């Protein structure tokens, strides 16, 4: 079928497709011409636009918004540097299983032979970072947009890219994957394994967040330890007596897994654990809404289907023989070990002080966490009962995630405070988005673990690997930077000062520059990772 051949007409079709797909907001950094047509057409249909300072930040904010709202997160960028600057945001959405539809302007097919400026193979450049990359042209554009949005949301969620070109017919996204039917023989085998198990351990992974209510309902009556991955933190309430802590594929949870005679993985994705051998020799049953790679888990039995169907069938067959509250007992035994390090001189702030004080002052706020040494303390210590998950980049593990994610989270959950815990390196990568917090007056409290270094990298460094020049920055006053951008900023260097600063937040943005002593990180990483 023929269709629109002007930029504005194609933008109208794009906006109609986004509206029909349930899109609520567009994030981005526009260029001229077509980008502004897209934004204007969307605004006429009630789809707001959020201006960010960077394309990767726009993608992270959009995919976070989409994950929390169950809608396609949408971002718009210009051609050339706009698309290439979005690359990290595309990879983050794909590897962290968050829905993102990125629309980029492009050099049109009709003008390509006479336009070298900013001319790139944008569809090809985005393809390795996305579930699919194609061109939005004049053939059935509305249907292409709705199909692309559906693909971004389809499990496993991820990034989809459309290059906007009204001079070409365009491409059609792949058809939806057929719904998997439960293999009755595999289900019978799994039930036998569950029935025979006396010491099962459940590990909840990122895909379980999509069906969080069904997962919580099924696991509520199962009296065995339950671990959660970083991206599933919050799916299972941590106040449950069965909650046993985090699963990262490292040392902290290994004693519990060595006691298990069966591991039941619920939504457990191989993109989540640390690289390395699968811990333990117990049989493994994986329950997932879609097929996943299983090589990391040894030789597991994979069941594909809806959690609301599969989990009751398996949990109903269970007869665990763990001591009552074995999960909380295991968690209570591991957490104190993180604080068993020498005291800091002169009462200097430790990372553990910052996390405990922030959690006590901010309550069960919606939490975003950046990559870096501080996440090793934050993730096990910050207790949450959900139902929203803690938001962290784990599949890609990219720095610069937490602040843009906090923007998306605050817009997705108006009226709820968002806590953004980040290192100085990660905030440095996204620092301009502090102005976005000010402009939108978002209720986000940013706490910066400031030690002027890439400390997680420093922990891995040997003397011959570049020395201090490879991992240290000049000291930065993030409070002053925040104030210059219109956000109140406070410098703190002890617990009382931190507590007072966090209490000063009055429902708007705040940046707390916490000057920490990083010495205890050595103990923390040994405790968690071995």
């Amino acid at each position: 079928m023929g269709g629109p051949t002007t930029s504005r007409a194609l933008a109208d079709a794009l906006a109609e497709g986004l509206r029909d797909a349930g899109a609520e907001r567009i994030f981005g950094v526009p260029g001229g011409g077509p980008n502004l047509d897209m934004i204007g057409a969307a605004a006429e249909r009630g789809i707001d636009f959020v201006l960010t300072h960077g394309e990767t930040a726009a993608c992270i904010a959009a995919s976070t918004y989409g994950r929390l709202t169950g809608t396609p997160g949408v971002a718009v960028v210009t051609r050339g540097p706009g698309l290439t600057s979005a690359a990290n945001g595309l990879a983050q959405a794909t590897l962290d299983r968050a829905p993102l539809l990125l629309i980029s302007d492009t050099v049109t097919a009709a003008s390509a032979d006479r336009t070298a400026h900013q001319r790139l193979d944008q569809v090809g450049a985005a393809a390795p970072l996305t579930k699919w990359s194609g061109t939005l042209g004049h053939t059935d554009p509305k249907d292409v947009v709705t199909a692309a949005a559906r693909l971004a949301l389809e499990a496993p969620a991820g990034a989809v890219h459309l290059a906007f070109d009204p001079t070409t017919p365009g491409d059609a996204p792949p058809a939806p994957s057929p719904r998997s039917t439960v293999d009755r023989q595999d289900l019978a085998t799994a039930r036998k394994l569950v029935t025979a198990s006396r010491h099962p351990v459940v590990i909840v992974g990122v895909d379980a967040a999509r069906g969080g209510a069904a997962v919580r309902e099924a696991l509520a009556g199962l009296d065995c330890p339950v671990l959660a991955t970083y991206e599933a933190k919050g799916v299972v309430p941590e106040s449950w007596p069965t909650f046993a802590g985090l699963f990262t594929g490292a040392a902290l949870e290994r004693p519990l897994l060595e006691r298990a005679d069966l591991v039941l993985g619920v939504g457990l994705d191989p993109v989540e654990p640390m690289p390395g051998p699968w811990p333990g020799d117990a049989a493994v049953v994986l329950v997932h809404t879609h097929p996943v790679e299983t090589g990391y888990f040894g030789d597991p039995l994979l069941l594909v289907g809806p959690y609301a169907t599969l989990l009751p069938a398996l949990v109903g067959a269970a007869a665990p023989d763990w001591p009552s509250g074995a999960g909380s007992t295991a968690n209570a035994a591991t957490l104190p070990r993180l604080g068993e390090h020498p005291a800091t001189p002169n009462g200097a702030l430790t990372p553990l002080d910052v996390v405990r004080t922030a959690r006590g002052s901010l309550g069960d706020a919606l939490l975003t966490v950046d990559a870096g040494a501080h996440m090793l303390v934050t993730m096990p210590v910050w207790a949450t009962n959900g139902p929203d998950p803690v938001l962290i980049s784990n599949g890609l593990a990219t720095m610069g995630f937490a602040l843009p994610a906090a923007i998306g989270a605050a817009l997705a959950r108006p009226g709820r405070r968002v806590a953004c815990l980040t290192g100085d390196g990660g905030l440095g990568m996204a620092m301009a988005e502090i102005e976005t917090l000010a402009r939108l007056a978002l209720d986000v409290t940013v706490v910066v673990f400031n030690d002027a270094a890439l400390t997680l990298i420093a922990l891995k460094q040997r003397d011959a690997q570049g020395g201090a020049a490879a991992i240290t920055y000049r000291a930065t006053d993030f409070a002053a930077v925040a104030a210059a951008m219109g956000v109140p900023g406070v410098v703190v260097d002890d617990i009382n000062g931190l507590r007072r600063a966090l209490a000063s937040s009055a429902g708007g943005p705040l940046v707390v520059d916490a000057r920490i002593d990083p010495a205890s990180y050595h103990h923390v990483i040994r405790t968690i990772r071995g």
Side-chain angles (χ1 to χ4, degrees):
M1 292 177 59
T5 57
T6 66
S7 173
R8 179 59 201 222
L10 185 58
D12 285 332
L14 165 66
E16 289 172 6
L18 291 176
R19 180 196 59 200
D20 290 354
E24 299 171 344
R25 278 189 169 86
I26 296 174
F27 298 77
V29 184
N35 279 171
L36 298 178
D37 285 337
M38 299 175 209
I39 294 166
E44 290 175 1
R45 290 159 177 83
I47 302 173
D48 294 334
F49 179 72
V50 178
L51 176 65
T52 62
H53 288 266
E55 289 84 359
T56 279
C59 289
I60 292 172
S63 64
T64 301
Y65 184 89
R67 180 179 179 185
L68 290 176
T69 60
T71 64
V74 182
V76 166
V77 298
T78 193
R79 67 190 191 183
L83 184 280
T84 54
S85 293
N88 203 51
L90 291 172
Q92 182 273 316
T94 298
L95 288 182
D96 289 319
R97 314 315 192 205
L100 173 66
L101 176 57
L102 176 70
I103 302 104
S104 69
D105 183 15
T106 189
V107 174
T108 66
S111 64
D113 62 346
R114 55 184 175 82
T115 305
H117 179 67
Q118 295 184 330
R119 188 184 66 207
L120 297 168
D121 179 4
Q122 296 187 172
V123 170
L129 307 175
T130 60
K131 297 177 69 174
W132 181 79
S133 178
T135 300
L136 177 66
H138 56 69
T139 301
D140 298 328
K142 180 180 173 183
D143 292 342
V144 168
V145 171
T146 54
R150 182 173 59 243
L151 179 60
L153 287 163
E154 180 184 299
V160 173
H161 165 245
L162 288 173
F164 183 96
D165 183 357
T167 72
T168 185
D171 304 311
S177 301
R179 288 184 176 273
S180 299
T181 56
V182 178
D183 187 300
R184 294 185 178 277
Q185 184 173 348
D186 285 347
L187 178 57
T189 301
R191 281 179 59 86
K192 289 179 181 178
L193 290 170
V194 172
T195 301
S197 171
R198 291 297 170 265
H199 295 97
V201 171
V202 176
I203 305 177
V204 179
V206 60
D207 188 65
R210 296 170 61 90
V215 172
R216 285 189 291 276
E217 182 178 355
L219 298 182
L222 182 61
D223 192 9
C224 74
V226 179
L227 297 165
T229 64
Y230 276 0
E231 290 203 68
K233 183 179 171 70
V235 173
V236 173
E238 296 185 29
S239 60
W240 281 6
T242 54
F243 182 74
L246 296 175
F247 170 76
T248 64
L252 201 61
E253 68 270 19
R254 192 166 296 142
L256 182 63
L257 290 174
E258 288 174 348
R259 297 169 61 192
D261 58 13
L262 174 72
V263 173
L264 176 60
V266 181
L268 187 56
D269 193 310
V271 79
E272 299 185 87
M274 290 182 59
W278 170 249
D281 299 319
V284 179
V285 175
L286 300 179
V287 181
H288 233 283
T289 60
H290 60 88
V292 292
E293 297 176 27
T294 60
Y296 173 82
F297 306 103
D299 186 23
L301 176 61
L302 175 63
L303 300 177
V304 177
Y307 296 123
T309 299
L310 289 176
L311 288 180
L314 293 176
V315 169
D321 191 28
W322 287 97
S324 182
S328 58
T329 299
N331 194 35
T334 57
L335 286 180
R337 292 166 52 194
L338 297 176
E340 294 173 354
H341 54 75
T344 55
N346 303 318
L349 272 176
T350 69
L352 190 59
D353 291 333
V354 174
V355 176
R356 285 175 171 165
T357 305
R359 177 62 178 84
S361 298
L362 300 177
D364 196 5
L366 181 53
L367 178 66
T368 69
V369 185
D370 221 296
H374 66 283
M375 76 176 180
L376 297 175
V377 181
T378 303
M379 294 304 287
V381 172
W382 187 289
T384 179
N385 283 325
D388 283 330
V390 167
L391 297 163
I392 185 170
S393 175
N394 193 38
L396 185 64
T398 182
M399 293 170 65
F401 168 84
L403 180 52
I407 292 168
L411 291 168
R413 294 290 185 266
R416 186 173 181 194
R417 175 181 277 185
V418 178
C420 169
L421 270 58
T422 180
D424 45 17
L427 184 58
M429 293 181 180
M431 192 148 49
E433 303 307 332
I434 293 174
E435 186 278 331
T436 308
L437 288 183
R439 176 168 25 98
L440 301 179
L442 298 177
D443 189 6
V444 175
T445 299
V446 180
V447 180
V448 191
F449 294 69
N450 190 356
D451 56 7
L454 296 174
T455 306
L456 186 57
I457 309 306
L459 295 171
K460 304 174 184 180
Q461 189 184 46
R462 299 183 180 89
D463 291 340
Q465 293 179 305
I471 47 88
T472 56
Y473 296 110
R474 181 177 177 177
T476 299
D477 187 338
F478 290 101
V481 171
M485 292 186 181
V487 172
V490 184
V491 174
V492 300
D493 57 12
D494 59 32
I495 291 175
N496 288 333
L498 176 58
R499 192 175 290 119
R500 287 192 299 270
L502 294 171
S504 70
S505 177
L510 173 69
V511 172
V512 179
D513 183 345
R515 308 292 172 86
I516 62 165
D517 184 330
S520 62
Y521 278 135
H522 293 273
H523 168 78
V524 169
I525 196 168
R526 283 195 302 269
T527 301
I528 292 176
R529 295 187 174 175

